[in-house]
Amino acid sequence: MEVGAVASMQFVKGAIRAAKLVSEYTQHTLLVGNRASTFALSMGLPGPTNLSSPESLEKWAKWKQNNCEPNFRKNVIPVNGCGPYRPVIGVSDLQKNYYACDNKETIDRGSILANANTGSEHISRHNHDTISMAVIDKLGHIAVGTSTNGATFKIPGRVGDGPIAGSSAYADQEAGACGATGDGDVMMRFLPCYQVVESMRQGMTPKDAAVDAISRIKRKYPDFVGALFALNVQGVHSGACHGWTFQYSVRSEGMEDVEVYTVHPEDN
């Protein structure tokens, strides 16, 4: 139950190290924004650092040229290509064939509904960078951590499931650990890693616990994309996924190298 997290942090490369500092040197659980960056720098992490790469700047420039599409907004109308965005007033307006902005522009119903998406289509193995890791030491202590750059084209200020305890990661040395990745905006509503660890505490195998947690999400959101791994205190591990083929790696005492395990959605 020692937890540290940071979110919306800029200028500091070692986000997961910053999260550990929150756990070790504060009584808080979560620090966010530039104040989190200030804390990390004051505790000795290197920076401030420009975290933009030529690839990310090129992607951003092309996105701006495409009127900031795709994005994660819904039920809104952009006054210009990249905003500002204004809400569609009332549910009934979605049933109309047009919506008149203050500038009297007319936008058809198809354009409105095009903005009303869940965001899942932006999440895939090709644009994800989440790393979640669980470790058991020789004394049986368990630690888990997750680090991510977040969803591509996210709305500024968005916090995903990465820093939310019980969502992208959770551990209890009486039961085991879990790490998750995918459509964090959906998955965090279910705290899937907390669910996995509690299921193992109640006697479920890692496989059954992982499948159960994914099944709970896909019953409500059949189009979501995500995956998780489960690890019990004996070192038995498994994974489950939905919407993509998921791979996770394992290395334990006596192994000469990492072994990669592949999980298919149909395995659930």
Side-chain angles (χ1 to χ4, degrees), residues 152-164:
T152 304
F153 311 130
K154 58 186 175 287
I155 296 172
R158 180 257 190 185
V159 175
D161 62 329
I164 306 302

Side-chain angles (χ1 to χ4, degrees), residues 4-254:
V6 293
S8 295
M9 190 174 67
Q10 296 178 307
F11 312 121
V12 179
K13 187 175 183 179
I16 202 163
R17 293 177 62 193
K20 192 170 187 289
L21 291 172
V22 173
S23 174
E24 293 177 335
Y25 297 107
T26 82
Q27 296 183 44
H28 299 311
T29 294
L30 174 63
L31 298 182
V32 302
N34 286 336
R35 296 293 184 170
S37 302
T38 300
F39 169 80
L41 295 172
S42 72
M43 298 303 292
L45 294 190
T49 303
N50 183 357
L51 302 180
S52 297
S53 66
E55 293 79 11
S56 66
L57 290 173
E58 181 182 3
K59 181 184 293 185
W60 177 80
K62 290 181 178 179
W63 179 70
K64 293 281 285 187
Q65 293 171 6
N66 195 42
N67 293 322
C68 299
E69 293 287 348
N71 60 55
F72 285 83
R73 300 181 188 272
K74 66 179 184 180
N75 301 333
V76 295
I77 299 297
V79 175
N80 295 307
C82 287
Y85 295 85
R86 301 186 181 186
V88 175
I89 307 302
V91 175
S92 61
D93 286 292
L94 286 174
Q95 309 304 321
K96 297 179 180 179
N97 290 326
Y98 66 90
Y99 174 80
C101 294
D102 291 345
N103 60 6
K104 306 305 181 184
E105 290 182 2
T106 299
I107 302 174
D108 64 29
R109 182 170 179 265
S111 297
I112 296 174
L113 295 180
N115 286 287
N117 57 66
T118 65
S120 291
E121 66 267 29
H122 308 321
I123 308 297
S124 76
R125 62 186 179 87
H126 299 294
N127 63 8
H128 234 252
D129 62 358
T130 303
I131 297 174
S132 189
M133 180 180 292
V135 179
I136 305 177
D137 70 12
K138 292 183 178 180
L139 298 178
H141 300 140
I142 299 179
V144 65
T146 297
S147 180
T148 179
N149 190 50
T152 304
F153 311 130
K154 58 186 175 287
I155 296 172
R158 180 257 190 185
V159 175
D161 62 329
I164 306 302
S167 186
S168 72
Y170 197 72
D172 189 316
Q173 65 187 59
E174 296 177 356
C178 168
T181 182
D183 192 344
D185 291 289
V186 169
M187 296 177 74
M188 66 194 300
R189 304 171 191 182
F190 295 81
L191 295 179
C193 277
Y194 176 81
Q195 181 65 55
V196 166
V197 172
E198 286 304 300
S199 293
M200 291 192 296
R201 188 194 308 278
Q202 298 299 320
M204 276 193 185
T205 65
K207 176 65 174 179
D208 289 343
V211 170
D212 175 69
I214 289 293
S215 296
R216 290 169 184 260
I217 305 173
K218 71 181 184 182
R219 280 198 296 269
K220 298 284 188 178
Y221 294 92
D223 296 327
F224 99 99
V225 175
L228 54 81
F229 69 82
L231 173 71
N232 69 13
V233 293
Q234 289 79 35
V236 179
H237 56 85
S238 190
C241 59
H242 182 69
W244 63 7
T245 296
F246 173 59
Q247 289 185 314
Y248 68 96
S249 59
V250 176
R251 184 164 186 176
S252 59
E253 190 175 19

